[in-house]
Amino acid sequence: MEMQEANQGGGGGGSEVSPNQTIYINNLNEKVKIDELKKSLNAVFSQFGKILEILAFKTLKHKGQAWVVFDNADSASTAIAKMNDFPFYDKNMRIQYAKTKSDVVAKADGTFVPREKRKRHEEKGSKKKKDHHHDSTQMGMATNSAYPGVYGAAPPLSQVPYPGGVKPNLPEAPAPPNNILFVQNLPHETTPMVLQMLFYQYQGFKEVRMVEAKPGIAFVEFADEMQSTVAMQGLQGFKIQQNQMLITYAKK
């Protein structure tokens, strides 16, 4: 373990590593499967900015380590400031700027040529802008839902017949404020750890409860309604993979 850290830190400690868009994480729980680890890292770190790539390898030499490549250095520095020493799968993550950013990224995708690297980042950059546009529309969910109205295709809700007489879960009658939140539309493989890490940032967080028989939903408890409301507003529509979380107050 120490040797691996020495490889990354480069003898002189992390101080020589200049800020860049890639963070290096070690002291990760080695028992976690690589796929789950990447999904969890993605869910946790995507709050700090657009992630271009997450690298984690099965080889013994790279166990307990990962690299997260953001599209800019600001996201990386925020991630380090907020998440260094954060408990992740029962072990505190150690995070610093990656020293071997380009090598790791290039070796992983087989383009280990410095000039190629620059071109790759430009391509990623153009892709990023499209994605970014997509992300920004996510925040304007209200405007999206208004589109059908523009074309006159949305009569007043009272006139819409409900198939089979089942009313959809309309946001018109939300449950009254509650210190427990009800989270829906989660990817079925979401782990309690991922949710815990997202909601843990908000004051008053107590616990996450998931219902094994019903994947895709969870309950998150806070100390009081004010704190649960702040968390709800902060994470409403947050994407885990491609799914936007839908958060409401749990029914009392």
Side-chain angles (χ1 to χ4, degrees):
M1 195 63 188
E2 274 144 26
M3 268 181 61
Q4 291 162 15
E5 288 169 42
N7 289 347
Q8 157 66 23
S15 56
E16 290 168 20
V17 181
S18 56
N20 64 70
Q21 70 202 69
T22 305
I23 58 173
Y24 166 76
I25 309 166
N26 69 347
N27 200 40
L28 291 168
N29 191 327
E30 296 175 14
K31 294 194 183 86
V32 182
K33 290 195 172 79
I34 292 288
D35 289 349
E36 187 190 336
L37 183 73
K38 283 186 174 181
K39 280 176 189 154
S40 299
L41 287 170
N42 187 45
V44 168
F45 283 98
S46 57
Q47 61 186 298
F48 302 113
K50 175 123 187 74
I51 292 174
L52 300 181
E53 197 160 18
I54 292 180
L55 297 158
F57 305 101
K58 292 190 172 82
T59 59
L60 204 58
K61 185 181 163 209
H62 289 112
K63 273 208 160 174
Q65 304 171 77
W67 287 259
V68 178
V69 188
F70 288 100
D71 69 348
N72 67 67
D74 286 351
S75 299
S77 58
T78 309
I80 292 174
K82 289 264 168 63
M83 303 305 286
N84 191 28
D85 224 26
F86 193 96
F88 185 64
Y89 290 105
D90 304 323
K91 288 186 77 169
N92 290 12
M93 290 192 281
R94 285 208 290 275
I95 312 175
Q96 55 190 306
Y97 292 111
K99 180 184 178 212
T100 50
K101 174 191 75 169
S102 48
D103 299 5
V104 169
V105 174
K107 277 179 183 155
D109 62 12
T111 57
F112 189 32
V113 183
R115 284 195 196 92
E116 282 292 312
K117 179 196 73 183
R118 195 163 297 160
K119 216 189 295 177
R120 263 188 71 252
H121 277 308
E122 278 160 21
E123 282 165 15
K124 288 224 162 159
S126 60
K127 216 192 293 174
K128 172 204 82 180
K129 287 190 183 73
K130 281 181 214 151
D131 288 359
H132 187 70
H133 173 70
H134 179 64
D135 285 350
S136 58
T137 54
Q138 151 195 346
M139 299 318 289
M141 283 189 289
T143 46
N144 284 353
S145 60
Y147 286 152
V150 176
Y151 300 107
L157 286 168
S158 56
Q159 294 171 19
V160 180
Y162 294 107
V166 178
K167 291 201 174 195
N169 199 354
L170 292 174
E172 265 66 31
N178 190 343
N179 65 312
I180 298 174
L181 299 176
F182 177 47
V183 185
Q184 301 172 76
N185 198 37
L186 296 165
H188 284 191
E189 63 272 24
T190 306
T191 59
M193 171 62 67
V194 166
L195 292 178
Q196 187 177 321
M197 296 189 71
L198 291 173
F199 284 94
Y200 184 85
Q201 313 164 72
Y202 295 92
Q203 281 193 322
F205 169 81
K206 289 178 89 170
E207 67 167 342
V208 169
R209 290 195 292 279
M210 295 187 93
V211 186
E212 246 176 71
K214 294 185 178 175
I217 64 168
F219 294 91
V220 184
E221 185 175 347
F222 281 82
D224 62 42
E225 292 162 11
M226 296 265 296
Q227 291 168 328
S228 65
T229 303
V230 171
M232 180 200 288
Q233 289 167 348
L235 289 171
Q236 189 67 268
F238 183 91
K239 275 188 182 173
I240 296 187
Q241 289 146 50
Q242 291 309 305
N243 293 28
Q244 286 187 345
M245 281 201 282
L246 174 64
I247 309 174
T248 51
Y249 294 113
K251 293 192 174 73
K252 292 194 174 177

